[in-house]
Amino acid sequence: DVKVTQSSRYLVKRTGEKVFLECVQDMDHENMFWYRQDPGLGLRLIYFSYDVKMKEKGDIPEGYSVSREKKERFSLILESASTNQTSMYLCASSSRLGTETQYFGPGTRLLVL
Amino acid sequence: RKEVEQDPGPFNVPEGATVAFNCTYSNSASQSFFWYRQDCRKEPKLLMSVYSSGNEDGRFTAQLNRASQYISLLIRDSKLSDSATYLCVVRDSNYQLIWGAGTKLIIKP
């Protein structure tokens, strides 16, 4: 079974704090993704990576950065958290870009005060 | 206009009934189509892919209508465990997945 884990289920941070969200997958997948999910909106792609040290902007990269130093790990960084970044953050991985199933982690619910 | 649109629901359906919902997409060049299921406070999981000829998996049937640019999901003999949000997903020509906001389904005993 594919397993995607995220470092925290719930996080509470203050405006201006730097926030790190970690994601690890154990299936040797090439592709990894960070989404945010908000009520009434579909999942929105923040960043994705199709190889170590590679990253591509998704639809809403502003205010975020990512790091992929190892194949199994993809980190999302909020450089200076803002209240409009309160959301559910979902990490996913897949073995081939787009066409294969994306496997999701359990999500991190982030509240920025 | 959203690229992928779904009726948010909720659809309240008695156990054992048949329920169907659609999803429309705006990009006629879309390549592939999927239904994902997301339980409350859980992550999305692939339910089924949608093929041009339609496909069936047990009580679930998915169909694609390219001319009208929509896909559908039909659930027969609904179970309490089918209660979830169903996400429509479309892969565009750039291999990116475009997600609908989901249709919430509640099966009542």
Side-chain angles (χ1 to χ4, degrees), chain B residues 42-75:
Chain B
K42 295 288 187 72
E43 70 274 19
K45 293 183 180 178
L46 180 68
L47 177 65
M48 58 199 305
S49 301
V50 187
Y51 305 124
S52 296
S53 55
N55 51 306
E56 191 173 308
D57 183 3
R59 298 180 294 106
F60 296 81
T61 301
Q63 294 200 307
L64 167 64
N65 185 317
R66 281 197 185 273
S68 300
Q69 294 183 202
Y70 73 87
I71 66 172
S72 63
L73 180 67
L74 180 100
I75 306 173

Side-chain angles (χ1 to χ4, degrees), chain A residues 37 40 45 99 101-102 105, chain B residues 2 36 38 43 46 91 96:
Chain A
Q37 185 176 31
L45 183 64
T99 54
T101 305
Q102 288 196 3
Chain B
K2 292 181 183 177
Y36 275 70
Q38 186 173 22
E43 70 274 19
L46 180 68
R91 181 172 73 84
Q96 293 305 317

Side-chain angles (χ1 to χ4, degrees), chain B residues 2 13 15 17 26 50 54 58 60-63 68 76-80 84-85 94 97 101 103:
Chain B
K2 292 181 183 177
V13 174
E15 192 176 7
S26 60
V50 187
F60 296 81
T61 301
Q63 294 200 307
S68 300
R76 287 181 298 277
D77 188 22
S78 53
K79 312 289 184 193
L80 296 175
T85 296
N94 293 322
L97 297 186
T103 296

Side-chain angles (χ1 to χ4, degrees), chain A residues 9-10 33 35 37 40-43 45 48 90 97-102 104-106 109, chain B residues 2 32 34 36 38 41-46 87 91 94-102:
Chain A
R9 292 300 302 274
Y10 301 95
F33 309 83
Y35 293 93
Q37 185 176 31
L41 301 175
L43 272 71
L45 183 64
F48 64 100
L90 288 158
L97 192 64
T99 54
E100 295 290 331
T101 305
Q102 288 196 3
F104 285 84
R109 200 170 285 276
Chain B
K2 292 181 183 177
S32 307
F34 309 90
Y36 275 70
Q38 186 173 22
R41 299 190 177 276
K42 295 288 187 72
E43 70 274 19
K45 293 183 180 178
L46 180 68
L87 306 175
R91 181 172 73 84
N94 293 322
Y95 294 92
Q96 293 305 317
L97 297 186
I98 312 298
W99 296 74

Side-chain angles (χ1 to χ4, degrees), chain A residues 52-69:
Chain A
V52 177
K53 297 193 185 295
M54 303 297 287
K55 59 185 179 184
E56 295 284 344
K57 291 180 179 179
D59 299 319
I60 51 164
E62 297 78 19
Y64 303 95
S65 61
V66 290
S67 172
R68 192 156 181 211
E69 296 297 316

Side-chain angles (χ1 to χ4, degrees), chain A residues 4-6 22-24 32-35 74 89-93 103-107:
Chain A
V4 181
T5 57
Q6 295 183 226
E22 300 277 325
C23 175
V24 178
M32 296 188 75
F33 309 83
W34 274 106
Y35 293 93
F74 192 35
Y89 289 88
L90 288 158
C91 174
S93 71
Y103 296 89
F104 285 84

